[in-house]
């Protein structure tokens, strides 16, 4: 264990901004050193509450996140914020970081905001987000907010990384709701109907309400009733109600022990993913790949099925790993 890693853990625990920034950059790059760092920080009993903000491009996630930051600061919560900025800013909205720099939040010592690029590190963004959230955890922040645009895999990644998921829709999201019905019902803990200053809100409100009712009928036990909170993020209206809904969801999950279950499921997924990428890395060494290529080019390979070759390779891998690892 290097001395600098040890020094860094102390700085992170003291919420040193430069150290936190450095550690998050390491997580983003997938540095091996971050593994050591997180192992050393693991004993800390703190548990930040993790809130995900997702939804279609341009639905107002960053605007809303800014408002949530203000509201949560009013409730004396210290905050670590991760904004997964889209790689192409097609929504016309400002990036969260830019927005913050121009606001009162910029000088607030109890808010730490970090952008991550959506293209991200090798193996996707999910591991980097999870590590960054752990770093914020160790720094003793009360809440971690994660904003990420909800397209494809991103949406699921956010849901897996957080304790409460806000799905931000707008009166214009009607088609999105129809198309991704099952997907958003699966991940949403709270629906936010933003841009409620525009017409059409009632229609989507009714559609969402119907989906929520249907889902509840199919559950036997008392399940969480997904609320729909209507907001105008630009003006901050509805944000207080949204915050109350988040705290309510948290209390519900604590009361029903769903939070502990959710967190251990999250750890399981994460461990599986880590083991999987480690296996992949070790299995496909350059040497083994070359050997396989040579084998396949040979005459003998034409006599074998792909299944047979894979079987042999796998057996060979375990045999070689065996003596040194047991
Ligand atoms: N009319 C109206 N416009 C809003 C509201 N909230 C946000 N906007 C505007 O919608 C645009 C997009 O807002 P962002 O907060 O950047 O949206 P986003 O979901 O973070 O966008 P991406 O991160 O790029 O997906 C901006 O021009 C906002 O000013 C609202 O409640 N009403
Ligand atoms: Mg945004």
């Amino acid at each position: 264990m290097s001395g600098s890693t040890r020094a860094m853990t102390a700085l992170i625990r003291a919420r040193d901004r430069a150290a936190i920034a450095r550690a998050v950059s390491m997580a983003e790059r997938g540095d091996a050193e971050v593994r050591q760092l997180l192992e050393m920080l693991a004993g800390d009993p703190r548990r930040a509450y993790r809130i995900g903000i997702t939804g279609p491009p341009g639905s107002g996630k960053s605007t809303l996140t800014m408002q949530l930051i203000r509201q949560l600061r009013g409730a004396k919560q210290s905050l670590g914020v991760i904004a997964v900025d889209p790689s192409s800013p097609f929504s016309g909205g400002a990036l969260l970081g830019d927005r913050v720099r121009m606001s009162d939040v910029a000088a607030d010592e109890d808010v730490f905001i970090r952008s991550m690029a959506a293209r991200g590190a090798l193996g996707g963004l999910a591991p980097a987000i999870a590590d960054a959230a752990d770093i914020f955890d160790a720094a003793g922040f009360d809440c971690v907010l994660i904003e990420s645009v909800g397209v494809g895999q991103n949406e699921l990644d956010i849901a897996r990384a957080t304790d409460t998921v806000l799905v931000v829709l707008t009166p214009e999201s009607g088609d999105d709701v129809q198309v991704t019905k099952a997907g958003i019902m699966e991940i949403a803990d709270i629906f936010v109907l933003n841009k409620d200053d525009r017409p059409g809100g009632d229609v989507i409100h009714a559609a969402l309400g119907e989906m929520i009712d249907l889902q509840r009928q199919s559950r036997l036990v008392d399940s969480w009733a997904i609320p729909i909170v209507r907001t105008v993020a630009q003006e901050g209206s509805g944000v207080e109600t949204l915050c109350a809904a988040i705290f309510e969801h948290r209390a519900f999950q604590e009361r029903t022990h769903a939070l502990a279950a959710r967190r251990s499921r999250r750890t399981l997924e994460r461990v599986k993913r880590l083991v999987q990428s480690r296996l992949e890395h070790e299995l496909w060494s350059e040497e083994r790949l070359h050997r396989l290529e040579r084998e396949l080019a040979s005459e003998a390979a034409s006599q074998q099925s792909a299944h047979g070759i894979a079987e042999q390779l796998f057996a060979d891998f375990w045999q070689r790993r065996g003596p040194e690892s047991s």
Side-chain angles (χ1 to χ4, degrees), residues 276-303:
Q276 201 168 320
S277 63
R278 177 87 177 266
L279 263 180
E280 187 140 319
H281 181 79
E282 292 199 13
L283 176 64
W284 293 120
S285 65
E286 210 138 293
E287 190 220 325
R288 193 172 277 112
L289 262 176
H290 280 149
R291 192 150 24 98
L292 181 62
E293 273 166 7
R294 275 199 309 275
E295 259 174 56
L296 292 180
S298 76
E299 192 64 31
S302 60
Q303 309 291 319

Side-chain angles (χ1 to χ4, degrees), residues 147-164:
E147 179 205 333
S148 175
V149 67
V151 283
Q153 182 63 30
N154 275 4
E155 203 164 63
L156 266 179
D157 284 348
I158 278 276
R160 291 205 183 105
T162 53
D163 301 317
T164 294

Side-chain angles (χ1 to χ4, degrees), residues 73-106:
R73 289 298 297 131
K76 297 275 178 291
Q77 302 284 297
S78 56
L79 304 168
V81 184
I82 301 167
V84 182
D85 286 322
S87 19
S88 65
F90 43 84
S91 66
L95 299 183
L96 184 66
D98 297 337
R99 223 179 276 259
V100 167
R101 270 188 284 285
M102 295 184 296
S103 76
D104 49 319
V105 172

Side-chain angles (χ1 to χ4, degrees), residues 68-323:
L68 272 176
I69 292 171
R70 291 213 176 88
Q71 192 72 33
L72 288 165
R73 289 298 297 131
K76 297 275 178 291
Q77 302 284 297
S78 56
L79 304 168
V81 184
I82 301 167
V84 182
D85 286 322
S87 19
S88 65
F90 43 84
S91 66
L95 299 183
L96 184 66
D98 297 337
R99 223 179 276 259
V100 167
R101 270 188 284 285
M102 295 184 296
S103 76
D104 49 319
V105 172
D108 190 337
E109 279 294 309
D110 287 320
V111 181
F112 186 96
I113 299 177
R114 174 56 188 246
S115 293
M116 285 188 172
R119 45 208 180 300
L122 210 68
L125 203 59
I129 290 178
D131 288 349
D134 278 357
I135 292 161
F136 288 158
D137 224 358
F141 288 109
D142 297 314
C143 291
V144 175
L145 304 183
I146 305 173
E147 179 205 333
S148 175
V149 67
V151 283
Q153 182 63 30
N154 275 4
E155 203 164 63
L156 266 179
D157 284 348
I158 278 276
R160 291 205 183 105
T162 53
D163 301 317
T164 294
V165 176
L166 316 181
V167 174
V168 184
L169 300 167
T170 67
E172 293 91 27
S173 312
D175 291 341
D176 288 315
V177 171
Q178 289 312 317
V179 171
T180 60
K181 221 175 203 168
I184 55 174
M185 284 309 288
E186 202 182 307
I187 67 157
D189 296 304
I190 297 170
F191 281 118
V192 183
L193 181 41
N194 188 42
K195 304 198 185 182
D196 205 23
D197 52 326
R198 295 188 179 169
D202 289 340
V203 177
I204 189 156
H205 188 276
L208 287 172
E210 242 169 67
M211 277 163 55
I212 294 167
D213 285 347
L214 267 176
Q215 191 213 33
R216 292 209 87 201
Q217 282 164 16
S218 67
R219 302 245 165 129
L220 292 172
V221 282
D222 247 5
S223 57
W224 169 249
I226 304 174
I228 309 167
V229 182
R230 303 176 79 145
T231 60
V232 182
Q234 265 175 334
E235 296 160 12
S237 76
V239 178
E240 202 177 335
T241 312
L242 177 58
C243 244
I246 294 169
F247 286 128
E248 227 169 275
H249 182 238
R250 178 182 188 160
F252 172 86
Q253 291 193 100
E254 281 168 355
R255 201 166 57 241
T256 58
H257 308 291
L259 186 58
R262 186 170 181 149
R263 286 176 167 176
S264 66
R265 209 166 41 237
R266 176 190 310 161
T267 309
L268 174 73
E269 287 297 326
R270 213 168 143 196
V271 170
K272 274 166 69 177
R273 215 162 29 207
L274 288 171
V275 170
Q276 201 168 320
S277 63
R278 177 87 177 266
L279 263 180
E280 187 140 319
H281 181 79
E282 292 199 13
L283 176 64
W284 293 120
S285 65
E286 210 138 293
E287 190 220 325
R288 193 172 277 112
L289 262 176
H290 280 149
R291 192 150 24 98
L292 181 62
E293 273 166 7
R294 275 199 309 275
E295 259 174 56
L296 292 180
S298 76
E299 192 64 31
S302 60
Q303 309 291 319
Q304 267 185 304
S305 76
H307 286 284
I309 297 169
E311 193 69 30
Q312 221 170 50
L313 195 137
F314 200 61
D316 173 71
F317 172 69
W318 282 116
Q319 208 171 22
R320 276 165 204 256
R321 291 282 310 163

